[in-house]
Amino acid sequence: MLTRETVLHIAELAKLELAEHETSLYAEQLSEILAYAERLNALDTDHIAPTAQAIYRRNVMRPDEPRPSLSPDEALANAPQRQDDLFRVHQILD
Amino acid sequence: MEYEAIIGMEVHAQVLTRSKMFCGCSADYASAPANTHTCPVCLALPGVLPVINRAAVEATVLTGLALSCTIPPFTKFDRKNYTYPDLPKGYQISQYDYPLCVGGHLDVQVAGESRRIGIRRVHLEEDTAKLTHTPDGSLIDFNRAGVPLMEIVTEADIRSADEAHAYLTELRTILRYLGVSSGDMERGAMRCEANVSLRPRGARAFGTKVEIKNLNSFRSVRNAIVYEIDRQSGLLASGGAVEQVTMGWDEERQCTVFQRSKEYAEDYRYFPEPDLPPIEMTPVEVQTIRERLPELPHDKAQRYEREFGIKSADVALLVAEHPTALFYEQAVAARPALAQAIANWMLGEVFRYLSEGERTTAELPISPAMLAELVALVDDGTINNTVGKQVLNEMMTSGEAAASIVERRGLAQISDTVALEQIITSVVAQHPGPVAQYREGESKVLGFLIGQAMRATQGKANVQIVRDLLLQALDDSQR
């Protein structure tokens, strides 16, 4: 079972605020997810190279050619707040 | 107790590509209006896929090769997760455990000695958006987000602020030679962080290291390291301990200031980027990139000394900028026997002209061969040194050839003894005072008399002949 501290640490990294009952609920749910993934450890993978991808593809690259960008209005269409042609968010102090 | 500083450096350099790292937006954002270089990929809209810019990969490999790195056959990208609005995806695509280049080195000259700085790795990632903090909130311009950025990490081989400065200078020269980055620190195209720790001289174990950020100029790198070494020695000498923290350099107050402690160290949760297939680099591909390596500054410097016999103090200045070195070489190719004389003219008059107008070598209105011809005219005595400078000045304005200016303005040196003898006779006659002083042993008035004779010829006389004739005339009249 994940500890309360671990759940709060993960929540902090994800910038989530958890209520007390959510902390215990997520500890339970996240533990179940981890246990499910643990089942993969039963497989013998000693002779299989690690990969992050399900299909074998290599060297997918594009030539260095600029293409048209969006207009500032298109780019800012979903901005939470806008100031001139800049996105505005809550003040960040590192 | 005497302490030894252990320094490692991380340099981020923007890669000079036309388009961004993972999308087709123009990477030339410097003077672009805000948010005009964005697209669904660099704004992280849902459902988009990044695609690797081949030119950025090749530029990074080229850099690695110039730093004597190994290029592993397998490399991949990873996600570095953190939540900050300068990256809309919530992660930066970077490289974690399989960087493009590993295990190289760079030799730098410090106080006449060669020092080898190990290069741990060179990897490729994407730059972040530009944030401006205001009382009403933080403003974001995404033009810079996704511009290719290479990170060059040294081993902890640097021992002083001077070495750090020399390393950074040499690294920037190489990046500029390769054409992979402008290396412009003032404009943020090259950024630097230093890890500094101290240990008692002779000890093997490392002390606690402090990371210094916000080093925005060569000067601030040197000053910040000097300051930090001093601060840590003070702490240790007074029985205190150095804490593992991140400090920022405060340029205004000229000191390092606390930013955050290790307890708040980021937990980046790196994992492989599933949207980007890995890259496999064959030896043939690496060789193809290697063939693009130009002759590097260090090799050029050695060759100038060996082949041209140039003084080593001059060589460093000649090779510091690639276009300047190439200009010099082409001038020498036109007049191989005058290599040192051409170097003197480059370092004197040409450099002065460049720095006065903040010009680059590419903006010189004369060709390398034209400079060589001017130097040849001085060398063979057609014009004297002073007139040579005037002619070069005029060449820089009009682009006219030296020989043509000399001919048109009648600047050829007067070496005709008969003509000069007349001038000197009249100088001696017109200045009885100084002549008398000279005879009384005040030899320094000779310079005045030479100057008068030169003036009478509008500076065109052969100074050596004037001097000889004048001495002769003074001796004769003494008898």
Side-chain angles (χ1 to χ4, degrees), chain A residues 51 53 55-63, chain B residues 21-22 50-55 57-58 61 71-77 95 98 100 273-286 289:
Chain A
T51 179
Q53 306 199 312
I55 48 168
Y56 186 90
R57 297 200 67 187
R58 290 289 187 270
N59 303 349
V60 181
M61 291 186 258
R62 62 181 173 82
Chain B
M21 185 63 231
F22 300 113
V51 189
I52 298 166
N53 183 339
R54 182 184 292 276
V57 171
E58 290 179 357
V61 170
I71 310 302
F74 177 91
T75 180
K76 70 177 174 67
F77 287 91
Q95 296 196 282
Y98 290 90
L100 272 161
E273 168 57 86
D275 288 344
L276 293 172
I279 297 171
E280 281 176 7
M281 195 79 64
T282 66
V284 175
E285 284 167 314
V286 174
I289 297 172

Side-chain angles (χ1 to χ4, degrees), chain B residues 399-421:
Chain B
E400 190 179 351
S404 151
I405 295 173
V406 169
E407 158 127 33
R408 186 166 52 73
R409 293 187 42 199
L411 295 172
Q413 183 159 259
I414 303 171
S415 305
D416 173 6
T417 320
V418 178
L420 290 176
E421 268 175 348

